């Protein structure tokens, strides 16, 4: 593929991901409040790295240029670096000057992981097991936020019009049990802000989209269960004793956007 063709392909993929964000919602668990809101494609998630400069070269801004290593701050830990959507969120945060620790369930670096590491100096943790907190909880000690953007890895078979899950993933394992494991560890560690990336369809059980996606291993059912577990864990954190490191640190509820 020519350089021009490759550049065009990257632009297209970036725009498609930003469109995907328009159908997503965030569940936010903070010390001061809680809400469920729609995500919209915005300048905060930059696609400048895919745009040409006036001299015909490709621009590659990096977070390392903006934030010297001497001024490292508490990190934002993001789960889902093995997927393009998680990579895009990590890039958006890095370009805003955040220090990001990216969690990947892949045992080996992916091309996207190499971009995060080489272009942004980002710390990538490979081989994360969502069911085993020992593989990730140590990174919560000084974290100022945890973002869960992991999803069951899948492909859409256009010929048979079915969703096929990969690498042993299922919606129940990743988007319910994985959410439960990560959020419980984050609340226990006293992380002040926890964010769950979900989909607005998870609460619209009578919609055509919900019913179609739910045919594949109850994908929407388990996504909603994950949301409910997220809310429960954040609410329960308020009932802990004052001696708890995460006492009164988080609360959450859900309302349709």
């Amino acid at each position: 593929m020519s350089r021009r063709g490759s550049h065009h392909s990257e632009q297209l993929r970036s725009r498609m991901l930003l469109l995907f964000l328009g159908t997503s919602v965030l569940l936010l668990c903070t010390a001061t409040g809680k809400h469920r809101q729609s995500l919209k494609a915005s300048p905060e998630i930059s696609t400048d790295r895919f745009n040409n400069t006036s001299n015909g070269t490709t621009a590659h801004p990096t977070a390392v240029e903006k934030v010297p290593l001497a001024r490292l701050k508490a990190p934002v830990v993001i789960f889902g670096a093995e997927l393009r959507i998680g990579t895009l969120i990590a890039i958006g945060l890095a370009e805003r000057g955040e220090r990001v620790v990216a969690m990947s369930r892949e045992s080996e670096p992916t091309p996207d992981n190499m971009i995060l590491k080489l272009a942004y100096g980002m710390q990538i943790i490979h081989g994360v097991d969502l069911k085993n907190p020992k593989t990730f909880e140590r990174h919560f000690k000084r974290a100022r936020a945890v973002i869960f953007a992991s999803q069951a890895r899948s492909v859409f078979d256009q010929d048979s019009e079915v969703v096929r899950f990969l690498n042993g993933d299922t919606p129940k394992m990743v988007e319910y049990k994985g959410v439960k494991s990560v959020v419980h560890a984050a609340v226990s560690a006293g992380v002040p802000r926890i964010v769950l990336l979900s989909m607005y369809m998870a609460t619209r059980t009578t919609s055509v989209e919900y019913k179609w996606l739910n045919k594949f291993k109850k994908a929407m059912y388990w996504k909603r269960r994950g949301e409910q577990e997220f809310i429960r864990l954040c609410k329960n954190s308020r009932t802990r004793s004052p001696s708890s490191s995460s006492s009164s640190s988080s609360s959450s509820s859900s309302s349709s956007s």
Side-chain angles (χ1 to χ4, degrees):
M1 182 182 294
S2 66
R3 180 178 300 178
R4 183 175 181 179
S6 176
H7 169 71
H8 177 74
S9 178
E10 289 294 337
Q11 277 189 318
L12 181 61
R13 284 198 294 268
S14 176
R15 288 169 182 168
M16 288 177 66
L17 283 168
L18 290 176
L19 287 173
F20 170 79
L21 288 177
T23 66
S24 303
V25 296
L26 285 180
L27 269 70
L28 177 63
C29 173
T30 71
T32 58
K34 66 281 183 183
H35 61 276
R36 176 189 177 98
Q37 66 181 39
S38 294
L39 279 173
K40 297 186 182 300
S42 72
E44 294 179 353
I45 300 180
S46 173
T47 57
D48 288 343
R49 62 174 40 259
F50 302 115
N51 296 334
N52 288 334
T53 59
S54 58
N55 63 4
T57 60
T58 303
H60 292 280
T62 69
V64 176
E65 296 170 351
K66 299 177 182 179
V67 184
L69 293 177
R71 300 201 335 248
L72 287 180
K73 53 187 176 183
V76 174
V77 180
I78 177 168
F79 288 79
E82 71 278 2
L83 302 172
R84 186 59 64 90
I85 184 65
T87 298
L88 187 62
I89 294 172
I91 288 173
L93 288 168
E95 290 188 347
R96 292 182 62 185
E98 297 291 347
R99 179 187 169 202
V100 179
V101 177
M103 299 289 183
S104 173
R105 290 183 290 144
E106 298 289 349
S107 58
E108 300 293 335
T110 65
D112 284 349
N113 291 163
M114 296 305 294
I115 291 175
L116 295 179
K117 185 172 183 178
L118 298 177
Y120 293 91
M122 204 173 293
Q123 182 181 7
I124 314 292
I125 309 300
H126 295 287
V128 171
D129 182 353
L130 298 178
K131 303 187 302 295
N132 183 6
K134 292 182 179 180
T135 64
F136 56 78
E137 62 185 359
R138 66 183 181 279
H139 299 283
F140 291 172
K141 288 184 178 179
R142 292 188 61 250
R144 68 192 210 90
V146 169
I147 300 174
F148 190 97
S150 285
Q151 299 175 9
R153 290 165 286 192
S154 63
V155 294
F156 177 65
D157 188 328
Q158 294 184 353
D159 294 330
S160 57
E161 295 188 347
V162 298
V163 176
R164 302 188 187 281
F165 295 99
L166 307 174
N167 303 324
D169 280 5
T170 65
K172 180 179 181 180
M173 183 189 77
V174 178
E175 294 162 62
Y176 171 63
K177 292 185 176 180
V179 169
K180 182 178 180 179
S181 174
V182 170
V183 175
H184 181 270
V187 168
S188 297
V191 177
R193 175 167 291 191
I194 310 167
V195 178
L196 172 64
L197 181 69
S198 188
M199 296 179 72
Y200 76 92
M201 288 181 291
T203 57
R204 301 185 181 184
T205 58
T206 60
S207 68
V208 174
E209 297 92 338
Y210 180 101
K211 292 177 180 179
W212 186 80
L213 287 170
N214 209 46
K215 293 191 300 183
F216 308 110
K217 297 188 180 295
K218 296 185 176 181
M220 290 293 97
Y221 169 80
W222 289 115
K223 188 175 287 290
R224 180 54 180 161
R225 286 289 305 276
E227 289 184 359
Q228 292 169 334
E229 193 64 23
F230 171 88
I231 294 167
R232 184 187 69 81
L233 288 169
C234 290
K235 282 185 175 180
N236 286 349
S237 71
R238 293 181 298 173
T239 65
R240 297 189 175 196
S241 64
S243 62
S244 172
S245 62
S246 59
S247 175
S248 301
S249 65
S250 304
S251 62
S252 179
S253 70
S254 175
S255 61
S256 297
S257 58

